[in-house]
Amino acid sequence: MTVSRRLFMAAAAAVATSAAASSTALAAPAGPATGRPTGAEPPHRIRIGPDDTPATLVAKAARVRPTARQIAWQQLEQTAFLHFGVNTFTGLEWGTGDEDPDVFRPAALDTDQWAFALRDGGFKLAILTVKHHDGFVLYPSRYTKHTVASSSWQGGDGDVLRSFTASMRRYGIKVGVYISPADENQYLDGVYANGSTRSARTIPTLVPGDDRAGSRPRSFTLDATDYGAHMLNQLYEVLTEYGPVDEVWFDGAQGRIPPEKVETYDWDSWYALIRALAPDATMAVRGPDVRWVGNEGGLARENEWSVVPVKDSGNGSIDYALPYDAPDQGSRDALAEARSVARYLQWWPAECDVSIRPGWFYHDDQQPKTVEQLTDIWFRSVGRNSVLLLNIPPDRRGLLPDADVARLREFRERIRRELPEDLAHGRRPRHDRAAGTVTVDLGRAHEVDRIRLAEDIRHGQQLEHAVVEARVGDRWETVTEVDTVGASRVLTLATPVTARRWRLRATRSRSTVRIAEFGLYRSEV
């Protein structure tokens, strides 16, 4: 995490077809179940080519739909990262791989304290750095000695991952794991980037004295390099021995090794194993389900599209068709610009990662961000059709620092005060498809200075421009405008507006817009 990720994403396959023309219609969200017609599942990826016209590209984009796991992930809104390992004790951000494992000695590890603080802060999923770029592993893996089992901590019987998963589930928090593709220790051992060719490997690869030998574990034959097989074996351990995993998080780091020693990652095999062992797990951000937003400041674009053009990048992976930090990833102009290199339009929502402190690992001389800074990040991530991934690093005690715990509680309370009560709750909105409007009558006039919108993304992301209006006297007056919405959009008014009747009017869209939320709030801040 300490360096910008350059390559991303995953996948393979897809089918192409045309789609309906643009419109400005709005409709009520679909009813129960999936909201989808019976028959074939709508595609989350559609093939495109340089011969597609701009109109055809927009029509295809209108047909792209999220998978069930992507919808569930988007609903999390706020997730946590926990960077913890040998770097916590050496003071480094990127380890060297030759650390003495005995430096890892948390004096008072308490993963229940982590879970309680995260739940108190409003987090619904937490991701642990099971292995960072240094290669040190937070559980006793069979495939390397660079693990907690080689530390004197808990007499070599410690297992941070087991404690972490148990605590998160006890407090109702979903479990995520980060297993770095880069591995400085395996490079030093001659496994990472050793020039080996891809060949069929049996996973798990049993080792001498393997405790699984008599149980005939479920096995897979997958193509991989020597290091690719090492990763597969560790993924197998994590995904079969630690209960259900809800997210597997990769980045594209390559390690600080000579440029001619680059390891070509076996993404296709890694993805296949994850899908087989954890079919409901989201793969991010070097994965097919979720993309990196393009910065480590936690900030989404003003208009963040979930449907973006992608290209193949080898070994079953896909990548951005446009630069990862391009200011526009999915508008009509972006689709047209990318068509010469893109192979697909894909539902690929953005995750905004940022650390509560300047570093990703704990350092004594650093302090957490202020509530005002965190609130600004929330509005510019969750409020812009993205999920916020906030890193809170445990300290050398093995605890989340007191200052950070207090800040998380203050942060949650601040967001509650920013959006205290939906004044439209219980008020049945009126959808007028012909007029392209959604109207809410609050029963009496209320001051409003926050507006929260959401499309029913089961039907894609369609809205390209809309105005929010308030009925003042005998006419509708424009209060604010918005382009993209997607799963979540929060708008802040500089000055409160008082009105009883409010209206969202679509003026441009790719296909029928289905509004799932039109929330109106008066901030208490």
Side-chain angles (χ1 to χ4, degrees):
M1 272 296 291
T2 56
V3 293
S4 291
R5 296 174 286 279
R6 296 171 177 79
L7 303 169
F8 294 92
M9 286 35 218
V15 10
T17 357
S18 55
S22 300
S23 74
T24 56
L26 284 111
T34 64
R36 294 171 173 163
T38 57
E41 189 86 351
H44 79 285
R45 186 186 308 115
I46 293 178
R47 186 181 293 276
I48 62 172
D51 294 333
D52 282 330
T53 66
T56 301
L57 291 171
V58 172
K60 287 184 175 182
R63 290 188 57 250
V64 178
R65 300 289 186 268
T67 64
R69 74 173 65 85
Q70 288 173 316
I71 292 173
W73 175 84
Q74 192 87 49
Q75 291 171 340
L76 295 172
E77 293 192 351
Q78 184 176 302
T79 59
F81 222 159
L82 297 155
H83 275 63
F84 189 52
V86 288
N87 291 348
T88 307
F89 300 88
T90 63
L92 299 177
E93 282 287 300
W94 189 320
T96 57
D98 57 359
E99 299 88 354
D100 180 351
D102 202 39
V103 301
F104 184 83
R105 285 187 285 176
L109 180 77
D110 185 352
T111 53
D112 273 1
Q113 185 253 6
W114 302 1
F116 182 84
L118 295 178
R119 188 184 68 177
D120 202 32
F123 295 89
K124 300 173 184 176
L125 179 145
I127 302 169
L128 176 66
T129 54
V130 176
K131 183 186 78 166
H132 202 253
H133 311 328
D134 48 73
F136 184 80
V137 182
L138 292 181
Y139 72 94
S141 174
R142 301 168 181 84
Y143 299 97
T144 176
K145 293 182 179 179
H146 204 51
T147 80
V148 289
S150 297
S151 167
S152 60
W153 173 64
Q154 293 193 357
D157 293 327
D159 189 333
V160 179
L161 179 57
R162 190 162 305 283
S163 179
F164 166 78
T165 55
S167 293
M168 295 303 139
R169 294 184 186 114
R170 186 155 43 244
Y171 283 84
I173 298 174
K174 293 180 179 294
V175 168
V177 294
Y178 166 38
I179 302 176
S180 172
D183 195 318
E184 299 282 353
N185 180 262
Q186 289 300 302
Y187 174 67
L188 296 174
D189 281 356
V191 177
Y192 183 96
N194 66 3
S196 59
T197 58
R198 275 166 59 99
S199 60
R201 313 289 178 124
T202 298
I203 305 300
T205 308
L206 300 184
V207 299
D210 200 303
D211 56 307
R212 301 167 295 184
S215 63
R216 301 183 63 184
R218 181 184 180 188
S219 64
F220 302 84
T221 301
L222 296 163
D223 289 341
T225 63
D226 290 349
Y227 178 70
H230 176 82
M231 277 287 289
L232 285 166
N233 279 311
Q234 290 193 322
L235 282 166
Y236 188 96
E237 289 178 316
V238 170
L239 298 178
T240 60
E241 298 177 24
Y242 291 88
V245 170
D246 302 288
E247 181 166 330
V248 180
W249 202 97
F250 295 120
D251 58 18
Q254 273 286 340
R256 297 173 304 183
I257 59 176
E260 69 276 9
K261 293 286 189 178
V262 168
E263 172 76 28
T264 301
Y265 295 140
D266 295 308
W267 295 115
D268 51 357
S269 295
W270 299 354
Y271 298 155
L273 186 69
I274 295 166
R275 285 287 187 251
L277 296 177
D280 295 327
T282 301
M283 285 190 268
V285 295
R286 184 69 163 118
D289 299 319
V290 174
R291 66 181 162 90
W292 180 43
V293 75
N295 64 75
E296 293 186 341
L299 307 178
R301 297 162 181 81
E302 176 70 27
N303 291 298
E304 196 67 71
W305 284 96
S306 293
V307 179
V308 299
V310 299
K311 63 183 180 182
D312 285 336
S313 63
N315 282 8
S317 179
I318 54 111
D319 201 356
Y320 301 92
L322 299 172
Y324 69 85
D325 56 355
D328 178 6
Q329 286 286 347
S331 72
R332 292 176 182 237
D333 289 343
L335 300 184
E337 179 185 351
R339 64 181 167 173
S340 62
V341 294
R343 273 193 82 182
Y344 306 104
L345 296 179
Q346 177 162 319
W347 191 277
W348 209 20
E351 178 184 78
C352 299
D353 60 330
V354 65
S355 185
I356 197 170
R357 290 168 174 252
W360 292 94
F361 287 89
Y362 174 81
H363 304 280
D364 278 334
D365 59 350
Q366 295 180 354
Q367 294 300 315
K369 289 178 170 60
T370 65
V371 171
E372 289 71 24
Q373 289 173 313
L374 292 173
T375 302
D376 179 62
I377 289 169
W378 188 92
F379 273 93
R380 295 167 71 183
S381 56
V382 178
R384 291 182 176 177
N385 188 39
S386 302
V387 169
L388 171 60
L389 175 60
L390 181 64
N391 178 64
I392 309 101
D395 60 23
R396 286 190 292 274
R397 299 173 300 171
L399 302 174
L400 297 187
D402 297 342
D404 300 42
V405 171
R407 191 57 38 83
L408 292 180
R409 190 179 306 115
E410 294 163 357
F411 175 40
R412 181 178 189 178
E413 174 60 21
R414 174 62 177 268
I415 297 303
R416 189 203 65 78
R417 292 173 59 217
E418 291 279 354
L419 302 168
E421 177 189 3
D422 182 3
L423 300 170
H425 180 71
R427 299 286 175 177
R428 188 177 181 85
R430 182 168 59 86
H431 297 261
D432 187 334
R433 180 173 179 179
T437 62
V438 177
T439 306
V440 175
D441 187 333
L442 300 180
R444 65 179 180 83
H446 285 277
E447 275 194 347
V448 171
D449 62 358
R450 304 283 188 270
I451 300 166
R452 183 157 193 174
L453 304 172
E455 292 181 64
D456 184 349
I457 60 171
R458 295 174 298 178
H459 298 273
Q461 185 180 2
Q462 309 294 354
L463 190 64
E464 294 179 304
H465 185 264
V467 294
V468 178
E469 300 168 315
R471 188 75 173 181
V472 179
D474 60 355
R475 60 177 182 164
W476 289 102
E477 292 189 358
T478 297
V479 171
T480 189
E481 301 183 28
V482 65
D483 293 328
T484 56
V485 170
S488 174
R489 189 68 192 263
V490 182
L491 308 173
T492 302
L493 306 183
T495 304
V497 174
T498 303
R500 169 178 170 171
R501 297 178 63 201
W502 293 78
R503 185 169 75 180
L504 176 69
R505 180 165 55 87
T507 60
R508 191 179 192 190
S509 65
R510 296 176 173 181
S511 184
T512 300
V513 179
R514 289 174 168 83
I515 295 298
E517 182 176 0
F518 184 12
L520 302 165
Y521 301 83
R522 178 61 169 102
S523 169
E524 295 176 353
V525 177

